[in-house]
Amino acid sequence: MIHPIPSGTRDVLPDEMRELRLISDALRKGFEDHGYREVYTPALEYEEVLGRAELAEAAPAYRLFDETGAALALRSDMTPPIARLVSTRYQDARPPLRFCYLAHCYRRVRPARGQSRELLQAGIELIGAPAPEGTVEVLTALCRTLDGTGLKDYRVGLGDASLFGALMARLGVPEHRRAALLGALVRRDFVLLERLVGEIDIDAQARRTLCEGPQLRGGIEVLQQAPGPLADALAGMREVAGRLPRDVADRVIFDLGLVREIGYYTGAVFEVYDPGLGAPLGGGGRYDELLGRFGRPLPAVGFAIGVEKLHIALAGEERGSGAMLR
Amino acid sequence: MSAAAGRLMIAVPRGALLAGTLDMLDRLGLDTAEMRDNDRRLLFERIGTLVAAPDAAGTPGDVEVGAITMRPSDVPTYVEAGSADLGVTGKDVLLEQVGEGERSGDRDLYELLDLRFGGCMMVLATRAGENAQGESPAAEALRRLGVMRVATKYPRTARGHMERTGRQAEIVEVKGSVELAPLTGLAEAIVDLTATGRTLVENGLVVREEIVHCTARLIANPVAHKLKAPAIERLLARLRSEAVAA
């Protein structure tokens, strides 16, 4: 008899499970070596609680009712549950707090390579440590933990979620046009961005900065050579860059166009790329306002890595083949 | 690091956009003779080197280029997976597979440049002629039957257009010659891409609404866009200066 399982889910058999276990163990060790202690929270939460975070595209997709009629949701991301945990169970604890997790999250994605609807995420959250020091600590833990899994060719894209908004304000883009421009950038549609910018009544130089700024990415020179109005908006990124240890800085691609789908990021945002996979392995950033929505306002920063994606990238590097290892 | 800034694999669409894409590659100094001669081969490991000066950071300038060929609607699939770093496909394909203005997340791709060739119009067409009230067959169906049946190879685009214009529609997806649908009573209207409008005229159809003008676009894989940024930027700079010259 063949019994199906839902689209986007899968069984894991011993050969794969053994490899996933080795990767999970390496990740857990990396997190713990950096002082992050593991927690676990329920996969099911009250929908109202998860809804406090602005998850936008990554909002919980699976909902059900319990026997009292309360609306529950399967978590789509571990950061809101940890924000809830901190404000509920660590009300009086002195920050900074350091937590890590390896936990399944649930999203209604179009199933693709390394994209399951039930995905195993491994990550850390550093709560109560502001920028730039907190950001530097988390980026360092991210890189050294990935090193510990044996991943070799990865890079970390580093941007700032507030950058494009600040740039639009500085260049005099009318407020009612800003959401559409940001939307084009989030959708990675530079043709649309250019068209929308062309409709705005600002000078030609400002238009160029709006179109070309978000396409700047590369080494530290990107921060040094950015033109006037953009350079002012980069102060936060420069502060982080100046404090990164050498081995971490060598991994970083400064990316002035990096924006993430999740809405709660307030400052630095990052994504992990490896030539073994055509999609980012994971990412994270600063969410300095999220904890406040749960009643304990604290600056915070964290990241999550997709364990299945990391597995594909490791296997690709090992074989010397994969998305960009042709 | 090798002497090149990286190697780029480009997904090239067969069909109506092929000639324009190969001409573009020729203008970049790449060698498309083999691609023109052999239309059975699908993979061309190396079609030449894009020669460029080192950049300010000292990254070497030359970019090696390879190509794979496929039908235009497969280009987003190969590029999203990273099997190609870059690709050329029509905006019609992107609207159908990636959408516009609505939620993202269906396809994770960068749309980098409007290449300006391969211009076509996405239209809504019906049989020629109006009834006594001056209505097209589709307008009449909508008024009397409450719904307009629309046959198309672009169901998402057609549904989006009908929703934006506030009309009820039944979308009928077909794979082949869509012009047949209104002639046989399968649908009152079609949504399709037309370059010259000749096929429509030959089948007694007329354009009732122009939906969107579509041209060829350059798309990129989101990871290649970061890991191969110097190579991609060099190619883009050349294409942009071509556009200015033309």
Side-chain angles (χ1 to χ4, degrees):
Chain A
M1 283 284 285
I2 302 287
H3 303 284
I5 58 174
S7 169
T9 66
R10 61 206 193 86
D11 296 319
V12 179
L13 303 188
D15 283 354
E16 182 190 354
M17 195 68 225
R18 192 174 162 278
E19 294 189 17
L20 284 174
R21 175 69 65 196
L22 288 172
I23 296 167
S24 301
D25 289 348
L27 289 167
R28 190 178 279 115
K29 179 174 185 308
F31 298 158
E32 286 180 345
D33 286 351
H34 286 85
Y36 291 80
R37 297 196 303 147
E38 189 172 358
V39 291
Y40 186 80
T41 66
L44 274 172
E45 298 241 9
Y46 287 116
E47 189 181 18
E48 182 272 331
V49 174
L50 294 183
R52 285 173 181 262
E54 274 174 35
L55 289 169
E57 306 274 325
Y62 299 98
R63 301 178 187 85
L64 61 155
F65 297 100
D66 71 7
E67 69 283 4
T68 68
L72 309 180
L74 279 168
R75 63 182 173 216
S76 55
D77 180 20
M78 275 303 283
T79 303
I82 288 184
R84 171 190 59 72
L85 179 101
V86 168
S87 69
T88 312
R89 305 290 298 274
Y90 288 86
Q91 279 178 28
D92 306 313
R94 258 192 44 211
L97 302 169
R98 293 180 174 83
F99 298 114
C100 71
Y101 55 83
L102 277 105
H104 284 97
C105 295
Y106 302 83
R107 293 185 190 170
R108 193 166 291 160
V109 295
R110 183 176 55 91
R113 186 151 166 76
Q115 281 246 56
S116 303
R117 293 185 170 190
E118 179 186 61
L119 54 151
L120 180 58
Q121 295 220 298
I124 65 175
E125 310 288 355
L126 170 57
I127 292 160
E133 286 81 7
T135 313
V136 170
E137 178 184 326
V138 163
L139 282 169
T140 305
L142 169 62
C143 289
R144 304 239 165 106
T145 300
L146 286 174
D147 292 341
T149 67
L151 193 69
K152 290 186 190 70
D153 298 328
Y154 71 92
R155 302 293 298 271
V156 178
L158 175 63
D160 188 323
S162 64
L163 183 65
F164 196 64
L167 189 62
M168 286 191 289
R170 217 168 282 252
L171 293 173
V173 175
E175 226 159 296
H176 67 279
R177 307 298 294 268
R178 289 181 197 167
L181 264 61
L182 185 61
L185 186 61
V186 170
R187 296 175 49 72
R188 306 182 168 191
D189 187 344
F190 287 118
V191 175
L192 178 63
L193 179 65
E194 196 172 334
R195 204 187 80 209
L196 293 173
V197 166
E199 294 167 0
I200 295 172
D201 186 24
I202 48 173
D203 67 65
Q205 186 56 46
R207 282 198 185 129
R208 278 187 55 162
T209 305
L210 279 174
C211 293
E212 291 171 12
Q215 302 200 51
L216 293 173
R217 59 207 189 281
I220 190 77
E221 75 280 356
V222 168
L223 301 187
Q224 292 157 351
Q225 294 162 3
L230 197 52
D232 300 338
L234 290 174
M237 276 175 82
R238 264 197 297 267
E239 284 188 353
V240 172
R243 288 171 168 81
L244 290 173
R246 183 63 193 268
D247 61 315
V248 178
D250 286 348
R251 295 284 188 180
V252 168
I253 299 172
F254 297 96
D255 184 350
L256 306 196
L258 182 59
V259 280
R260 304 208 74 217
E261 277 192 343
I262 294 172
Y264 54 62
Y265 292 116
T266 51
V269 283
F270 28 96
E271 276 187 345
V272 180
Y273 310 109
D274 189 89
L277 187 69
L281 305 187
R286 293 210 66 86
Y287 48 99
D288 290 341
E289 281 149 32
L290 183 66
L291 270 288
R293 282 184 224 152
F294 287 86
R296 183 142 197 229
L298 284 171
V301 55
F303 69 78
I305 295 291
V307 176
E308 288 101 348
K309 289 181 176 175
L310 175 57
H311 187 197
I312 294 170
L314 280 164
E317 283 193 357
E318 193 184 313
R319 288 194 314 267
S321 69
M324 259 141 265
L325 297 163
R326 290 178 287 266
Chain B
M1 197 152 180
S2 70
R7 179 160 159 276
L8 291 179
M9 185 60 83
I10 302 183
V12 171
R14 293 191 173 276
L17 296 178
L18 180 64
T21 306
L22 294 179
D23 290 350
M24 175 190 92
L25 296 174
D26 280 342
R27 285 196 303 274
L28 293 173
L30 301 168
D31 180 10
T32 61
E34 250 186 303
M35 298 177 75
R36 289 177 195 272
D37 289 348
N38 188 344
D39 63 6
R40 282 207 182 76
R41 224 173 107 190
L42 305 172
L43 170 65
F44 303 83
E45 289 280 0
R46 212 175 155 280
I47 59 169
T49 302
L50 194 68
V51 182
D55 68 9
T59 315
D62 293 355
V63 179
E64 278 184 38
V65 181
I68 48 179
T69 65
M70 62 194 65
R71 54 191 294 175
S73 57
D74 284 342
V75 169
T77 307
Y78 279 84
V79 173
E80 188 188 27
S83 298
D85 302 304
L86 295 171
V88 175
T89 193
K91 183 64 182 174
D92 53 305
V93 170
L94 296 175
L95 285 173
E96 188 60 27
Q97 297 191 17
V98 188
E100 185 173 50
E102 52 206 283
R103 63 179 299 280
S104 61
D106 267 22
R107 289 265 185 209
D108 197 5
L109 294 166
Y110 276 93
E111 188 172 326
L112 295 179
L113 202 59
D114 183 348
L115 297 169
R116 304 196 186 276
F117 63 82
C120 282
M121 187 64 79
M122 187 69 76
V123 300
L124 184 138
T126 73
R127 291 182 87 153
E130 284 83 32
N131 63 9
Q133 284 87 2
E135 291 169 323
S136 73
E140 181 180 338
L142 184 63
R143 180 173 60 81
R144 298 184 55 199
L145 304 174
V147 65
M148 181 189 289
R149 287 175 301 162
V150 182
T152 186
K153 285 177 269 187
Y154 302 90
R156 184 172 179 175
T157 307
R159 191 170 295 115
H161 177 63
M162 300 310 286
E163 280 172 8
R164 276 193 301 277
T165 51
R167 291 174 292 183
Q168 300 190 90
E170 259 175 48
I171 308 296
V172 183
E173 189 177 352
V174 295
K175 302 284 187 196
S177 306
V178 67
E179 294 82 4
L180 191 58
L183 307 181
T184 55
L186 176 68
E188 289 89 26
I190 63 170
V191 164
D192 204 20
L193 201 61
T194 173
T196 60
R198 226 175 58 207
T199 316
L200 294 177
V201 172
E202 278 175 15
N203 287 288
L205 303 178
V206 293
V207 172
R208 303 285 180 175
E209 295 158 31
E210 293 189 338
I211 300 171
V212 59
H213 187 248
C214 296
T215 50
R217 302 293 162 95
L218 184 71
I219 61 173
N221 172 274
V223 174
H225 187 253
K226 310 307 174 194
L227 297 182
K228 299 187 175 182
I232 290 175
E233 285 308 307
R234 270 176 197 117
L235 186 97
L236 274 177
R238 286 285 294 276
L239 289 173
R240 286 199 189 102
S241 65
E242 289 274 334
V244 171

